[in-house]
Amino acid sequence: MLFLHRTDAGERLAEALRHLRGEDPVVLGLPRGGVPVAFRVARALGAPLDVIVVRKLGVPYHRELGFGAIGEGGVRVVNEDIVRSSRVRPQDLAAVEHAEEAELARQARRFRGERPRVALAGRTVIVVDDGIATGSTAAAACEVVRAQGAARVVLAVPVAPPDAVARLRTAADEVVCLSAPHAFRAVGEWYEDFSQTPDEEVVALLARAADVRAAAVEVDAGGLALAGDLALPQGAGAVVVFAHGSGSSRRSPRNRAVAAELNRAGLGTLLFDLLTPAEEADRANVFAIEPLAARLTAATRWLRLRVPLPIGYFGASTGAAAALWAAAEAPDGDADAGIGAVVSRGGRPDLAGPRLAAVRAPTLLVVGSRDTTVLDLNRGAQRALRCENRLEIVPGATHLFEEPGALDEVAALARDWFARHLVL
């Protein structure tokens, strides 16, 4: 398998990692060449991106022989067997470690600046490189990530020799490698363009990813504090509030993937829990559309006081009904208080009932072609709408849009609808 460049490799690798989207992963790129690949993976998964800075500790008289590795946060992984067999004085090993600590700190500052590291404790962490030759650096990175608290470590690379892949299965919980050719001599021979990645590109990619990282907020929904994530890209032209449904939450991997695409298009997003953990235990609350809509309206009021931008709604499943109900309640003719646009993904707009006729916001209904029951319900709801509206059917998609490319199409449709109707 030949890759055009690191961007191409990252996009193809992302496809092979889509099964991890639901685990809310963190993506870490090994500098320098691994970061452009990791950037594409993080974008596709809607995951935070960071750099994993690791320094191997080499035996003084044989630097290729590593006796351990160090990472940020004081993480130190040492192979005591190699230390004993090398018969090197402790002070010489300490000198190697001291020098590498200084270089590690320098690189971390260079790549990340003053931004803090992404926390890994309890998370699924995907370590990405542009390819593997011997695998020693990748193995050290996996060990360091685990020592930093990762619950699960996945190593992902476009290309590596078969023997290295086999060895690395002991360092990571899962290894994803797109190509493991037996006639392997060097990583670069499997790329048409394998030009060096400069430090400046690493810095720029990490900064771009950090610009849209969501900040944890506490949404005041009518006196009830609800956990949320607010992302505001620099120069955002509008904000989209997500209304989850069917017992989902702000951590819904599908909604987070759509939110990431909206962020990349310069739109802010607010994902928050419409229900408290205790309320989620009662299934009836999921279908209590009027109370959910009232809560969404209160959260929108809270957001307007903090972000003076046009607001739209993205609703999924029963959350789509709550979004349309809330949009119908917005003051008619008041652009500063109204909802600018609504998108429904696999939604149940029919549950908004008679309120549909009062919706004034341009509304896009997106349904999978194989989600036949919901598709019929959306067609009925569309006939009740009196606003500008459109029904988009994603070919071959079922209710959760789990088919390859289906959710990407949803995200693109939502992005274009909001860009057309919401951004001033």
Side-chain angles (χ1 to χ4, degrees), residues 30 77 125-127 132 134-147 150-156 163-176:
L30 276 160
V77 179
V125 178
I126 306 173
V127 177
I132 286 173
T134 65
S136 58
T137 300
C142 290
E143 289 187 83
V144 166
V145 165
R146 202 180 299 280
R152 184 163 180 252
V153 180
V154 178
L155 177 63
D163 57 338
V165 173
R167 286 195 305 272
L168 288 165
R169 294 195 191 283
T170 63
D173 298 300
E174 181 181 354
V175 176
V176 176

Side-chain angles (χ1 to χ4, degrees), residues 139-384:
C142 290
E143 289 187 83
V144 166
V145 165
R146 202 180 299 280
Q148 289 174 338
R152 184 163 180 252
V153 180
V154 178
L155 177 63
V157 294
V159 62
D163 57 338
V165 173
R167 286 195 305 272
L168 288 165
R169 294 195 191 283
T170 63
D173 298 300
E174 181 181 354
V175 176
V176 176
C177 179
L178 300 183
S179 179
H182 288 280
F184 184 98
R185 291 189 300 273
V187 173
E189 66 182 350
W190 301 99
Y191 285 82
E192 288 190 15
D193 177 6
F194 197 64
S195 52
Q196 186 177 6
T197 301
D199 284 357
E200 291 74 18
E201 182 178 353
V202 174
V203 171
L205 290 173
L206 292 173
R208 283 176 61 189
D211 280 345
V212 295
R213 188 175 300 164
V217 294
E218 194 171 78
V219 178
D220 180 1
L224 181 66
L226 298 170
D229 296 314
L230 177 63
L232 289 173
Q234 187 173 6
V239 183
V240 176
V241 180
F242 281 67
H244 313 291
S246 297
S248 187
S249 72
R250 74 187 190 284
R251 299 208 177 276
S252 160
R254 286 168 289 278
N255 282 349
R256 290 174 74 87
V258 174
E261 177 60 30
L262 299 183
N263 293 156
R264 290 191 287 272
L267 292 164
T269 54
L270 172 64
L271 293 88
F272 75 104
D273 296 336
L274 271 172
L275 297 173
T276 66
E279 290 170 335
E280 289 174 1
D282 185 352
R283 182 71 178 167
N285 288 323
V286 173
F287 293 92
I289 305 303
E290 185 173 2
L292 291 177
R295 196 166 286 183
L296 180 59
T297 297
T300 304
R301 192 178 304 115
W302 171 89
L303 180 63
R304 275 191 209 283
L305 294 174
R306 289 154 181 80
V307 184
L309 292 172
I311 293 176
Y313 287 155
F314 182 96
S317 191
T318 54
L324 287 163
W325 191 302
E329 294 290 305
D332 193 19
D334 187 347
D336 292 330
I339 299 303
V342 178
V343 174
S344 163
R345 170 184 66 80
R348 291 290 309 276
D350 56 294
L351 295 176
R355 301 282 176 156
L356 291 172
V359 176
R360 295 292 176 262
T363 299
L364 174 67
L365 309 173
V366 186
V367 188
S369 66
R370 293 165 60 194
D371 191 9
T372 54
T373 300
V374 171
L375 180 54
D376 288 341
L377 293 171
N378 272 255
R379 284 175 171 145
Q382 185 184 26
R383 288 192 291 270

